[in-house]
Structure formats: C-alpha cells, structure tokens
C-alpha cells in the first residue's frame, strides 16, 4: 500500500510540475514571438519611408506617373531590403505597377481583382484622411517624426500571388513640401515579404526557436506552441509553430525508473524517493532560472531584450521626477551591406561586437538592450546634463566607427546613429520616451547617419499663422553639414 501511495504521489507531482513548467515556457515564448513579429512589421514600413515620404515621389508617382522612377524605386526596395513584392496603387483604386523579385511590371488593373488588397486600400484611405493637412497649393500629411508606424500605415498578413505574406502599406506623401498632394484618396505604396525560408530565418534570428516553421493549413493539429494568423478578410492564413524549450517533459523519464525500483524493495524505494526528489527540485529550479533568463535576455548577445527593457523603463518612469534618466536609441548603419557581402554569420559577429562595445561605453549600472535586428536601446540613469550625455553619445558613435574584424581576415566597416530622449524633459511615460528617442534617431538618420541627435533639438515642419509653410530644419541641417550634433 505504501508503495502504491508513494507511486501515485510521484506521478501527480511529476504531472503538476511538468504542466507548470511547460505553460510558463510557452507563455514566455509566445510573448517573444509576438514582439519579434511586431518589430518586423514596423521595419517593413520604416524601410518604405525613404521612397513613400518624398517630394520627388509625390511629383513622379502621384502628380506625374514616371515608369522609370517607379522601376528605380522598386529596385531599391528589392536590392536593399529584399522586399518580395512591391505594388503602387493609385487613389482611384488602380494597380499601376507591381514587382516580381527584381522585375517591375507597369500595368493598370483594378485593385478589386484582389479583394484583400482592396480592404488594405480602404483602411489606408481612412488613416490618410485622419492625418491629411491642408497646405498652400494642396494637401500634406502630419509629420512622421515620433509617430508609430501604426498611426499612418497598415500592416499585417495577406495572400499575394497565391502565397502568404506579411506586408506594410503607407501613402505617398511629401517631406519638404516643395510638392503637395491633390485632393482625393492617396496613392499607396505596398511592400510584402513572402512567408518563406528567408523570412523565417530573419524572425528566428531573434528567437532561436527549435524547428521554427509555418504551416498554411491552419486546421492541422500539432505539438508545441502555435500562433495562428489571419488575412485581411479575417480568414485563417496559416500557423507559426515551434518546439517549446521547456524541459518539463524530462521529469517523466526520471520518475518512472524510481517507481519501478520502489516496486522491488520498500527500503530501496525510501532511499530512492528522498534522493530523486532532491534531484528533481534542483532540475526544476534550474529550468525555471533558464526560462526566466531566456525571457529577459537576447540569445545572440546576452544583453537585455525588449521585455526586460520595458520592465526597467516602467520602473524608472515611476521614480520621476526625482530621478531623471535618458533613453538612448541606437541603430547600426550599413548593416544590411554586411549581411549581403559577407553573410549572416558575419552579421552576427558585428552584432555581438557592437553589443560588447556599447556595454563597455555605457558601463554599469545602466542597461544596454538589444530590441531586435540591429537596434539597441540604453536606459542611462547617470547625470543627464548635456555635457555628460554629449560625452557618452560621442563614445557610442565612435564605437560604431571602429572597423569590425570578421572571418577570413575581412573587415566590416559600419557606423552608428543615435537618438536621445530625456525624462522628464521629453516625456513622462514609457510610450512617449520610446517614441521620442525613435524620432531623434530618425533625425540622425535623415541628417546623414553616424551622429547623434536629442529629441528636444528635433524640429518639425510647421504652417505659420499666415498660411505660409516654414522649414525650421534649415538651421539644423546647416549645423549637420559641419559634423555630428553636439
């Protein structure tokens, strides 16, 4: 009887422990996946901005359709960012051009032939009308600086050319207002990545999941965590799936042999139970510690990840205004060229090297995080006077300028652009500080990369009270011509 009771008790403990460990690991992995997917969707839109937010594009894509300019623009998105599919849709709802890899086809057909894209077009019309502003000579668009891509673009999943894909779409808008938009619906630039081996590899570079893949048949059951995605008609498009990293199932091979031994001799059972329970407790503690570490750290660099960044940022905001701090947004320049020239293994070396350099430049106890791809963020809780922050940011930019040795004796030459938001001067919430550091980073990129900018120094285009368009960025651009902002 004692053997039976002990055996049943062990089975119950093993079941509860394995279930709890598995559920916790899956929940952590789901959060990591959703964060990586959201980052990738926003990245597609940010990669479009150089073409979509341009006076030249307004002139040659909206006002006057220029096929050569279309081909050049589409080729840039393919060759630089590997966008699988690019489409230009007029305000009247006609597809004017579409790409197939590096080939661009000039065409005119109604977007209604592809109902999912018609839905995207309608959603973007509504967003555009919310953001449209009247300016002398026509219409413009609210500034994109500091705005989340979801405020001016449509992102998600769609079925294109018979393949599932992730996409981002935004209107063609002016940036310097030398050109204005006509009245009516917007002309739309849409870019997509097919859900193929290349995209899965990019996503899993952030996740490091085992057997990570995608199944178009969403109704097929399977083991392990699964994430269902839907198209623009709210129909299931497919499922991302992977093998959970939980070690909960390893408890069973440990308990079963113990139960067999207990059935042979009560004395051996008593000794075995005491010893094995101790082993299991240690194993579960190690597993939980590993799960917590993986949930809060980037697997490639060992830096804090987005989840830990968000937690520390929230706790830092609660100390305001007594303890001011700075949020520093860093992005590698010319990193795509490293991957294309030397391969992704070399790209990983560059990422790890820059992580070490940034950590050394920032020091403890401040937090350096990798939030995805080639983006890093810093929560700096030292002195936030400009002199101190200038010194720190110069050190960060200098670290990005140093060559990075890679395999076979090659050297990767990159750079680093930096944006800084100071709390509480530039914001008192997590969302404000992240958005405004991103806006400052955008300013650094726009001014030529390899420099740093403070959010409080960023200037927006404004329409004066007399209705005349002014450009306060002229002075900042003149300062930028002589070197990095101080």
């Amino acid at each position: 009887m004692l053997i039976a009771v002990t055996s049943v008790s062990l089975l119950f403990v093993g079941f509860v422990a394995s279930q709890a460990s598995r559920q916790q690991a899956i929940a952590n992995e789901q959060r990591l996946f959703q964060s990586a997917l959201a980052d990738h969707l926003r990245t597609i839109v940010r990669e479009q901005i150089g073409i979509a937010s341009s006076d030249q594009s307004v002139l040659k894509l909206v006002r006057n359709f220029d096929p050569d300019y279309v081909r050049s623009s589409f080729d840039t998105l393919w060759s630089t960012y590997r966008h699988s599919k690019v489409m230009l849709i007029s305000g009247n709802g006609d597809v004017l051009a579409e790409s197939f890899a590096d080939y661009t086809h000039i065409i005119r057909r109604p977007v209604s032939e592809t109902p999912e894209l018609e839905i995207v077009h309608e959603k973007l019309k509504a967003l555009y009308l919310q953001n449209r502003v009247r300016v002398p000579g026509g219409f413009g668009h609210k500034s994109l600086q500091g705005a989340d891509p979801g405020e001016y673009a449509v992102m998600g999943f769609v079925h294109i050319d018979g393949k599932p894909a992730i996409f981002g779409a935004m209107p063609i808008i002016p940036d310097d207002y030398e050109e204005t938009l006509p009245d009516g619906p917007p002309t739309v630039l849409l870019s997509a990545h097919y859900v193929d081996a290349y995209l899965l590899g990019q996503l899993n570079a952030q996740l490091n999941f085992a057997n990570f893949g995608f199944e178009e048949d969403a109704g097929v059951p399977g083991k392990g965590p699964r994430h269902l995605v839907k198209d623009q008609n709210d129909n299931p498009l497919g499922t991302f799936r992977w093998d959970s990293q939980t070690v909960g199932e390893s408890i069973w091979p440990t308990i079963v042999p113990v139960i067999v031994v207990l059935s042979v001799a009560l004395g051996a059972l008593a000794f075995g139970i005491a010893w094995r329970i101790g082993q299991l407790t240690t194993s579960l503690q190690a597993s939980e510690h590993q799960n917590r570490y993986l949930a809060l750290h980037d697997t490639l660099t060992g830096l804090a990840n987005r989840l830990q960044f968000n937690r520390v940022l929230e706790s830092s905001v609660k100390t305001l205004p007594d303890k001011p701090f700075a949020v520093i947004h860093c992005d590698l320049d010319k990193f795509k060229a490293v991957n294309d020239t030397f391969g992704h293994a070399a790209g990983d070396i560059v990422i790890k090297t820059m992580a070490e350099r940034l950590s050394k430049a920032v020091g403890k106890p401040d937090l350096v995080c990798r939030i995805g791809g080639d983006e890093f963020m810093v929560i700096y809780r030292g002195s936030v006077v400009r002199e101190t922050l200038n010194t720190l940011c110069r050190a960060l930019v200098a670290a990005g300028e140093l060559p990075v040795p890679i395999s076979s004796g090659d050297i990767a030459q990159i750079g680093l652009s930096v944006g800084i938001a100071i709390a509480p001067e530039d914001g008192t919430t997590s969302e404000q500080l992240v958005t405004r550091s991103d806006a400052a980073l955008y300013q650094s990129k726009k001014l030529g990369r390899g420099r740093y900018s403070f959010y409080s120094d960023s200037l927006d285009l404004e329409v004066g009270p007399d209705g005349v368009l002014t450009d306060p960025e002229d002075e900042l651009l003149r300062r930028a011509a002589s070197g990095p902002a101080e």
Side-chain angles (χ1 to χ4, degrees):
M1 178 61 72
L2 180 59
I3 294 177
V5 171
T6 305
S7 299
V8 171
S9 299
L10 283 175
L11 287 171
F12 179 75
V13 170
F15 174 77
V16 172
S18 64
Q19 288 296 106
S21 177
R22 179 175 176 78
Q23 290 172 4
Q24 181 62 44
I26 291 175
N28 290 340
E29 291 165 2
Q30 289 280 10
R31 285 194 293 269
L32 290 172
F33 172 77
Q34 292 170 4
S35 175
L37 184 60
D39 285 345
H40 209 79
L41 288 169
R42 288 183 172 88
T43 296
I44 292 178
V45 174
R46 291 191 178 105
E47 291 169 350
Q48 292 178 319
I49 287 179
I51 294 173
S53 178
S54 162
D55 286 280
Q56 188 80 345
S57 295
V58 171
L59 176 64
K60 297 190 176 184
L61 298 181
V62 181
R63 291 287 187 179
N64 302 292
F65 184 76
D66 185 340
D68 291 334
Y69 185 79
V70 172
R71 292 187 178 95
S72 175
S73 299
F74 281 21
D75 181 67
T76 296
L77 293 175
W78 161 255
S79 59
T80 304
Y81 304 114
R82 292 291 296 274
H83 289 193
S84 309
K85 184 78 172 183
V86 185
M87 301 180 73
L88 184 69
I89 305 172
S90 72
N92 295 328
D94 290 331
V95 177
L96 303 179
E98 59 182 317
S99 72
F100 302 89
D102 58 350
Y103 170 72
T104 299
H105 183 44
I106 305 300
I107 190 175
R108 182 176 288 272
R109 64 176 177 82
V111 73
S112 58
E113 292 181 358
T114 312
E116 285 190 68
L117 297 183
E118 189 174 24
I119 294 173
V120 173
H121 195 220
E122 290 300 321
K123 289 180 179 179
L124 202 54
K125 282 182 186 178
L127 267 180
Y128 171 75
L129 291 176
Q130 294 174 15
N131 293 309
R132 189 177 71 169
V133 293
R134 183 177 290 278
V135 297
F139 292 89
H141 192 279
K142 292 179 181 177
S143 173
L144 302 186
Q145 291 191 29
D148 184 88
E151 297 177 24
Y152 56 84
V154 175
M155 301 167 285
F157 286 82
V158 70
H159 221 262
I160 299 182
D161 299 334
K163 302 176 183 178
I166 64 172
F167 78 92
M170 66 176 292
I172 304 296
I173 58 176
D175 57 347
D176 293 328
Y177 286 86
E178 295 177 2
E179 298 290 335
T180 61
L181 295 167
D183 194 7
T187 297
V188 174
L189 180 68
L190 182 146
S191 293
H193 279 299
Y194 296 136
V195 182
D196 54 15
Y198 177 77
L199 176 64
L200 293 174
Q202 283 195 317
L203 282 172
N204 206 30
Q206 296 177 239
L207 302 169
N208 197 29
F209 286 167
N211 296 322
F212 181 67
F214 182 81
E215 298 170 352
E216 290 192 50
D217 190 347
V220 175
K223 296 181 179 179
R226 302 171 71 81
H227 184 88
L228 175 68
V229 295
K230 297 181 179 181
D231 63 18
Q232 297 305 297
N233 290 314
D234 205 32
N235 296 319
L237 186 65
T239 304
F240 289 93
R241 49 100 182 122
W242 61 90
D243 291 344
S244 176
Q245 296 176 346
T246 177
V247 297
E249 293 181 357
S250 66
I251 293 172
W252 293 110
T254 303
I255 291 181
V256 170
V258 173
I259 295 176
V260 172
V261 171
L262 290 175
S263 66
V264 176
L266 184 59
L269 172 64
F271 176 79
I273 289 175
W275 185 76
R276 293 306 296 174
I277 285 180
Q279 290 293 103
L280 289 174
T281 301
T282 302
S283 176
L284 287 172
Q285 290 174 343
S287 173
E288 180 63 21
H289 177 76
Q290 182 185 26
N291 287 339
R292 288 198 301 268
Y293 182 86
L294 291 174
L296 297 174
H297 291 80
D298 174 54
T299 55
L300 178 62
T301 62
L303 296 178
N305 63 8
R306 180 180 290 274
L307 180 60
Q308 185 175 172
F309 170 79
N310 290 338
R311 289 184 179 180
V312 175
L313 182 56
E314 287 290 345
S315 64
S316 298
V317 165
K318 292 178 181 178
T319 67
L320 295 174
D322 297 333
K323 296 181 179 179
F325 62 94
V327 175
I328 304 174
H329 200 153
C330 306
D331 186 80
L332 301 186
D333 300 328
K334 298 179 287 186
F335 178 70
K336 179 68 167 54
V338 175
N339 280 337
D340 290 345
T341 304
F342 302 109
H344 289 285
D348 289 346
I349 293 175
V350 171
I351 291 291
K352 290 191 285 188
T353 301
M354 286 306 304
E356 294 172 358
R357 291 176 181 176
L358 296 181
S359 297
K360 183 177 180 181
V362 173
K364 295 182 178 180
D366 303 301
L367 186 70
V368 181
C369 312
R370 182 189 178 211
I371 61 171
D374 57 345
E375 289 188 74
F376 300 85
M377 294 197 79
V378 178
I379 298 178
Y380 183 73
R381 289 168 288 197
S383 172
V384 294
V385 298
R386 279 297 181 94
E387 181 179 356
T388 300
L389 292 177
N390 282 337
T391 300
L392 173 60
C393 292
R394 281 194 292 267
L396 295 177
V397 172
E401 293 174 348
L402 295 175
V404 179
I406 54 179
S407 59
S408 305
D410 291 317
I411 297 293
Q413 193 71 48
I414 53 171
L416 190 72
S417 296
V418 177
I420 310 100
I422 303 173
E425 173 186 338
D426 296 331
T428 56
T429 69
S430 300
E431 292 77 8
Q432 288 176 336
L433 293 169
V434 171
T435 298
R436 290 169 182 178
S437 66
D438 184 64
L441 173 62
Y442 175 86
Q443 183 75 359
S444 295
K445 292 283 189 181
K446 189 172 182 179
L447 293 177
R449 307 174 187 270
R451 66 188 63 239
Y452 63 91
S453 301
F454 288 88
Y455 174 77
S456 57
D457 294 338
S458 298
L459 301 172
D460 295 328
L461 290 172
E462 299 176 354
V463 178
D466 56 354
V468 177
L469 192 66
T470 60
D471 187 358
E473 286 187 352
D474 286 345
E475 179 61 25
L476 184 58
L477 291 172
R478 283 193 293 270
R479 292 204 307 268
S482 63
E486 291 294 321

